[in-house]
Coordinates of all heavy atoms in Angstrom, one line a residue:
G1417 N -5.5 0.4 6.8 CA -5.7 -1.1 6.6 C -6.0 -1.6 7.9 O -6.7 -2.8 7.9
R1418 N -5.4 -1.3 9.0 CA -5.5 -1.9 10.3 C -7.0 -1.9 10.7 O -7.3 -2.7 11.5 CB -4.7 -1.3 11.3 CG -3.3 -1.4 11.2 CD -2.6 -2.7 11.9 NE -2.8 -2.7 13.3 CZ -2.8 -3.8 14.0 NH1 -2.6 -5.0 13.5 NH2 -3.0 -3.6 15.4
K1419 N -7.7 -1.0 10.2 CA -9.1 -0.9 10.5 C -9.9 -2.1 9.9 O -11.1 -2.6 10.4 CB -9.8 0.3 10.1 CG -9.3 1.6 10.8 CD -9.8 2.8 10.4 CE -9.2 4.0 11.1 NZ -9.5 5.3 10.7
S1420 N -9.4 -2.8 8.8 CA -10.0 -4.0 8.2 C -9.3 -5.1 8.7 O -10.1 -6.3 8.8 CB -9.9 -3.8 6.7 OG -10.4 -2.7 6.2
T1421 N -8.0 -5.3 8.9 CA -7.3 -6.4 9.2 C -6.0 -6.1 9.8 O -5.3 -5.2 9.5 CB -6.9 -7.3 7.8 OG1 -6.2 -8.3 8.2 CG2 -6.2 -6.5 6.8
P1422 N -5.8 -6.8 10.9 CA -4.5 -6.7 11.6 C -3.3 -7.0 10.9 O -2.2 -6.4 11.2 CB -4.7 -7.5 12.9 CG -5.7 -8.5 12.6 CD -6.5 -7.9 11.6
F1423 N -3.4 -7.7 9.8 CA -2.3 -8.2 8.9 C -1.8 -6.9 8.2 O -0.7 -7.0 7.5 CB -2.6 -9.3 8.1 CG -2.8 -10.5 8.9 CD1 -4.1 -11.1 8.8 CD2 -2.0 -11.0 9.8 CE1 -4.4 -12.3 9.7 CE2 -2.2 -12.2 10.6 CZ -3.4 -12.8 10.5
A1424 N -2.6 -5.9 8.1 CA -2.2 -4.6 7.2 C -0.8 -4.1 7.8 O -0.1 -3.6 7.0 CB -3.1 -3.6 7.3
A1425 N -0.5 -4.3 9.1 CA 0.8 -3.8 9.7 C 2.0 -4.6 9.1 O 3.1 -4.1 9.0 CB 0.8 -4.0 11.1
L1426 N 1.8 -5.8 8.4 CA 2.9 -6.5 7.8 C 3.1 -6.0 6.3 O 4.1 -6.4 5.8 CB 2.5 -8.0 7.8 CG 2.3 -8.6 9.0 CD1 1.8 -10.1 8.7 CD2 3.4 -8.5 10.1
S1427 N 2.3 -5.2 5.7 CA 2.5 -4.7 4.5 C 3.6 -3.7 4.5 O 3.9 -3.0 5.3 CB 1.2 -3.9 4.0 OG 1.5 -3.2 2.8
R1428 N 4.4 -3.8 3.2 CA 5.6 -2.9 3.1 C 5.2 -1.9 2.0 O 6.0 -1.3 1.3 CB 6.9 -3.6 2.8 CG 7.2 -4.6 3.8 CD 8.4 -5.4 3.7 NE 8.4 -6.1 2.4 CZ 9.3 -5.9 1.4 NH1 10.3 -5.1 1.5 NH2 9.3 -6.8 0.2
S1429 N 3.9 -1.6 1.9 CA 3.3 -0.6 0.9 C 4.0 0.8 1.2 O 4.3 1.0 2.3 CB 1.9 -0.4 0.9 OG 1.3 -1.7 0.6
G1430 N 4.2 1.6 0.2 CA 4.7 2.9 0.3 C 4.7 3.7 -1.0 O 4.2 3.3 -2.0
A1431 N 5.5 4.7 -0.9 CA 5.6 5.8 -2.0 C 6.9 6.2 -2.3 O 7.7 6.2 -1.3 CB 4.6 6.9 -1.8
F1432 N 7.2 6.3 -3.5 CA 8.5 6.8 -4.0 C 8.4 7.8 -5.2 O 7.2 8.0 -5.7 CB 9.3 5.6 -4.7 CG 9.4 4.4 -3.6 CD1 8.3 3.4 -3.5 CD2 10.5 4.4 -2.7 CE1 8.4 2.5 -2.7 CE2 10.6 3.2 -1.8 CZ 9.6 2.3 -1.8
T1433 N 9.3 8.6 -5.5 CA 9.3 9.4 -6.6 C 10.5 9.2 -7.5 O 11.6 8.7 -7.0 CB 9.4 10.9 -6.2 OG1 10.6 11.2 -5.6 CG2 8.2 11.3 -5.2
R1434 N 10.4 9.3 -8.9 CA 11.4 9.3 -9.8 C 11.1 10.5 -10.7 O 10.0 10.5 -11.4 CB 11.5 8.1 -10.5 CG 12.7 8.1 -11.5 CD 13.0 6.7 -12.2 NE 13.9 6.9 -13.2 CZ 15.2 6.6 -13.1 NH1 15.7 6.2 -11.9 NH2 16.0 6.7 -14.2
G1435 N 11.8 11.5 -10.8 CA 11.6 12.7 -11.5 C 10.4 13.3 -11.0 O 10.1 13.6 -9.9
A1436 N 9.4 13.5 -12.0 CA 8.2 14.1 -11.7 C 7.0 13.1 -11.6 O 5.9 13.4 -11.7 CB 7.7 15.1 -12.9
T1437 N 7.4 11.9 -11.3 CA 6.4 10.8 -11.2 C 6.3 10.3 -9.8 O 7.5 10.0 -9.2 CB 6.7 9.6 -12.1 OG1 6.9 10.0 -13.5 CG2 5.8 8.5 -12.1
L1438 N 5.1 10.1 -9.2 CA 4.9 9.6 -8.0 C 4.6 8.0 -8.2 O 3.9 7.6 -9.2 CB 3.6 10.1 -7.3 CG 3.2 9.6 -5.9 CD1 4.3 9.8 -4.9 CD2 1.9 10.3 -5.6
I1439 N 5.2 7.2 -7.4 CA 5.1 5.7 -7.6 C 4.6 5.2 -6.3 O 5.2 5.3 -5.2 CB 6.6 5.0 -7.9 CG1 7.1 5.7 -9.1 CG2 6.4 3.6 -8.1 CD1 8.7 5.6 -9.1
L1440 N 3.6 4.5 -6.4 CA 2.9 3.8 -5.1 C 3.1 2.2 -5.1 O 2.9 1.6 -6.4 CB 1.5 4.1 -5.0 CG 1.0 5.5 -4.7 CD1 -0.5 5.6 -4.5 CD2 1.7 6.3 -3.7
A1441 N 3.6 1.7 -4.2 CA 3.7 0.2 -4.1 C 2.5 -0.3 -3.2 O 2.6 0.0 -2.0 CB 5.0 -0.3 -3.5
L1442 N 1.5 -0.9 -3.8 CA 0.3 -1.3 -3.1 C 0.1 -2.7 -3.0 O 0.9 -3.5 -3.6 CB -0.9 -0.8 -3.9 CG -1.0 0.8 -4.1 CD1 -2.0 1.0 -5.3 CD2 -1.2 1.5 -3.0
P1443 N -0.7 -3.2 -2.0 CA -0.7 -4.7 -1.7 C -1.3 -5.3 -3.0 O -1.9 -4.8 -3.9 CB -1.8 -4.7 -0.6 CG -1.7 -3.5 0.1 CD -1.4 -2.5 -1.1
G1444 N -1.0 -6.6 -3.0 CA -1.5 -7.5 -4.3 C -3.0 -7.9 -4.3 O -3.5 -8.2 -5.3
S1445 N -3.6 -8.0 -3.1 CA -5.1 -8.3 -3.1 C -5.9 -7.1 -3.7 O -5.6 -5.9 -3.5 CB -5.6 -8.6 -1.7 OG -5.7 -7.4 -1.0
P1446 N -6.9 -7.4 -4.3 CA -7.8 -6.3 -5.0 C -8.3 -5.4 -3.9 O -8.3 -4.2 -4.1 CB -8.9 -7.0 -5.7 CG -8.4 -8.4 -6.0 CD -7.4 -8.8 -5.0
A1447 N -8.9 -6.0 -2.8 CA -9.4 -5.1 -1.7 C -8.3 -4.3 -1.0 O -8.4 -3.1 -0.8 CB -10.2 -6.0 -0.7
G1448 N -7.1 -4.9 -0.9 CA -6.1 -4.2 -0.2 C -5.5 -3.2 -1.1 O -5.1 -2.2 -0.6
A1449 N -5.3 -3.4 -2.3 CA -5.0 -2.4 -3.3 C -5.8 -1.1 -3.4 O -5.3 -0.1 -3.2 CB -4.7 -3.0 -4.6
V1450 N -7.1 -1.4 -3.5 CA -8.1 -0.2 -3.6 C -8.1 0.4 -2.2 O -8.2 1.7 -2.1 CB -9.4 -0.8 -4.1 CG1 -10.4 0.3 -4.0 CG2 -9.3 -1.2 -5.6
E1451 N -8.2 -0.3 -1.2 CA -8.1 0.3 0.2 C -7.1 1.2 0.4 O -7.2 2.3 0.9 CB -8.4 -0.7 1.2 CG -8.6 -0.1 2.7 CD -8.7 -1.1 3.7 OE1 -7.8 -1.8 4.0 OE2 -9.9 -1.5 4.1
S1452 N -5.9 0.8 0.0 CA -4.7 1.6 0.2 C -4.7 2.7 -0.7 O -4.2 3.8 -0.2 CB -3.5 0.6 -0.1 OG -3.3 -0.4 0.9
L1453 N -5.0 2.5 -1.9 CA -5.2 3.7 -2.7 C -6.1 4.8 -2.2 O -5.8 6.0 -2.2 CB -5.6 3.3 -4.2 CG -5.9 4.5 -5.2 CD1 -4.5 5.3 -5.5 CD2 -6.4 3.9 -6.5

């Protein structure tokens, strides 16, 4: 994300698991969400 915007460093995006499921917490902007994915 930092390649697109310096504000990406402020994101608290991340990944978690529960059982056999992977959970991604992605930004709320369409571009940020897809770029992070």
Side-chain angles (χ1 to χ4, degrees):
R1418 290 272 298 161
K1419 294 177 182 176
S1420 300
T1421 175
F1423 297 117
L1426 301 177
S1427 173
R1428 297 180 311 120
S1429 296
F1432 305 86
T1433 66
R1434 181 175 172 96
T1437 303
L1438 179 65
I1439 306 155
L1440 296 184
L1442 304 166
S1445 74
V1450 170
E1451 184 176 79
S1452 293
L1453 177 60

